[in-house]
Structures are given as structure tokens and as C-alpha cells.
Amino acid sequence: MLSRQLGIVGNYCLMNDLPALNAMVVNATTKEPGGDVVLTPGRSFGEELRAIYRQDWYEVGVPTTGTLRKVWEAM
């Protein structure tokens, strides 16, 4: 249900040299992300999670809806 929205978030992160924040959303039963999860190239799911937790997200500005729309259009 959220794959499009999470894909936009993940791709925005990759375009801005950030860990793919969308990877934090996992299935409640399996504790795994969906099949379309965006990850940083060369990173496993576990490595992506560790990078997400290490990132100082207070340094990162909140993207505008216009920026996210551009990401969607570029996908």
C-alpha cells in the first residue's frame, strides 16, 4: 500500500547522499521490508538500518512537496 510513497522517500534520500529512510518500514510479522524497498547500492538491509540510526537527521532539512514531486517524476 505504501510502496510508491516509501519509494519516493528512499529515492529522495539516495539523491541527497542519505541512508534510505524508507527501509525502516517493515512487515510486523516478518520484520523485513517489502520487495520494492530502496536501499543504498552495495548495502544490505541490516547495513542500511545501521546507517539510518547513525545519521543525524536533525541536520537534514525537510523536503518540500515540490521536491518530492520531482523525485517521483524522475523515478
Side-chain angles (χ1 to χ4, degrees):
M1 271 175 79
L2 294 174
S3 64
R4 179 178 62 172
Q5 293 86 345
L6 292 172
I8 293 169
V9 170
N11 282 294
Y12 170 81
C13 290
L14 295 185
M15 292 172 150
N16 290 280
D17 296 320
L18 296 166
L21 189 57
N22 65 298
M24 291 188 68
V25 180
V26 297
N27 180 290
T29 304
T30 66
K31 308 296 187 231
E32 294 288 327
D36 294 335
V37 67
V38 175
L39 298 173
T40 301
R43 278 193 190 148
S44 69
F45 169 61
E47 291 169 333
E48 196 72 57
L49 286 180
R50 285 188 288 281
I52 290 168
Y53 293 128
R54 284 192 307 263
Q55 174 67 43
D56 181 359
W57 292 99
Y58 291 106
E59 292 181 344
V60 179
V62 178
T64 65
T65 55
T67 298
L68 295 175
R69 180 173 291 116
K70 288 178 186 175
V71 171
W72 168 246
E73 292 169 352
M75 290 174 46

